[in-house]
Amino acid sequence: TIISHYLNLNHIQKATISLNTNQEARTKTFELINQLTKENIEVEIMIGKNSLINGGFTAYMETLTKDLNWEQISGIHLDVEPHVSKDWHENKASYLKKYHDLVNEARTYCDSKSIQLGVSIPTHYPVNDIQKIFDLVDRVYFMCYENVKTDFIVRKTNSYLTSKTYIALRTNDFKNRLEMEEKFEEIQSKMNVAGFVIHDFGSLIDFDKNSINK
């Protein structure tokens, strides 16, 4: 497929994919997963349902992943963001407690499937809470959006286990792909993170299209 070819061409080793409940969309997604697996590209399943902060993760997963071939899946990527709630600042401690409970449940679920667990979190969570998250998961993806100053990113993320630390950047924070890749190199030279994540595939393709058009 175009997607697997593009990922291989750009030496991208892992893809994070959302599952849809619509049967037609699921069929296409399963076909993509089959192709990526054949191309030796790792596949993670993205879970981005914010209401899961209030519980129900395991039941939701059993429904969402029906008919999924778990042998093709390397992990779950938990992208639940309680910090976008309107009352986050008033109830931060409560939300963080719920989030830790969610991560705990997700850890148990992943262990039952013999797969890994990664989470996306912002850099502004309290240090102690971030450390608790690190203790539970295999990968932490820091969402370093908007403020992409290298010193800021390094300061906010370099006190944690680097073998689990991934920096997630989005294309619309950069003028072009070269500027984004230079940012990767600059950050890596200062803290040697485990890897980088680009959000998202569609916008990355647009970067390349714009470069060609110019």
Side-chain angles (χ1 to χ4, degrees), residues 192-209:
N192 193 33
V193 297
F196 294 90
V197 177
I198 302 170
H199 178 70
D200 57 11
F201 181 75
S203 58
L204 184 60
I205 291 288
D206 289 340
F207 250 0
D208 289 345
K209 285 181 180 177

Side-chain angles (χ1 to χ4, degrees), residues 90-105:
E90 295 85 355
N91 299 296
K92 183 190 293 187
S94 175
Y95 274 118
L96 286 170
K97 171 63 169 61
K98 289 180 178 181
Y99 185 75
H100 289 305
D101 290 343
L102 170 61
V103 175
N104 262 308
E105 187 174 353

Side-chain angles (χ1 to χ4, degrees), residues 17-22 26 45-68 70 76-80 102 105-106 109 113:
I17 297 176
S18 296
L19 280 180
N20 199 302
T21 53
N22 175 273
R26 286 174 73 84
I45 297 300
M46 165 80 82
I47 305 299
K49 189 178 178 68
N50 283 341
S51 61
L52 290 174
I53 194 69
N54 293 311
F57 176 82
T58 301
Y60 173 76
M61 289 300 298
E62 290 302 315
T63 300
L64 182 69
T65 62
K66 184 181 179 182
D67 301 325
L68 179 67
W70 283 103
I76 287 172
H77 183 111
L78 193 64
D79 187 27
V80 173
L102 170 61
E105 187 174 353
Y109 185 84
K113 302 292 185 183

Side-chain angles (χ1 to χ4, degrees), residues 6-7 61 66 69 83 112 137 144 170 183-185:
Y6 182 91
L7 295 179
M61 289 300 298
K66 184 181 179 182
N69 181 358
H83 54 275
S112 73
V137 305
C144 299
R170 59 184 184 184
K183 179 61 65 173
F184 292 162
E185 293 177 4

Side-chain angles (χ1 to χ4, degrees), residues 5-63:
H5 177 70
Y6 182 91
L7 295 179
N8 273 321
L9 190 64
N10 288 274
H11 308 290
I12 297 172
Q13 302 169 330
K14 181 181 296 183
T16 304
I17 297 176
S18 296
L19 280 180
N20 199 302
T21 53
N22 175 273
Q23 191 53 51
E24 184 179 349
R26 286 174 73 84
T27 298
K28 291 180 179 178
T29 301
F30 288 161
E31 289 173 356
L32 174 60
I33 292 172
N34 285 335
Q35 185 61 41
L36 293 175
T37 302
K38 289 178 183 177
E39 298 285 343
N40 294 316
I41 296 171
E42 278 189 54
V43 176
E44 289 182 324
I45 297 300
M46 165 80 82
I47 305 299
K49 189 178 178 68
N50 283 341
S51 61
L52 290 174
I53 194 69
N54 293 311
F57 176 82
T58 301
Y60 173 76
M61 289 300 298
E62 290 302 315
T63 300

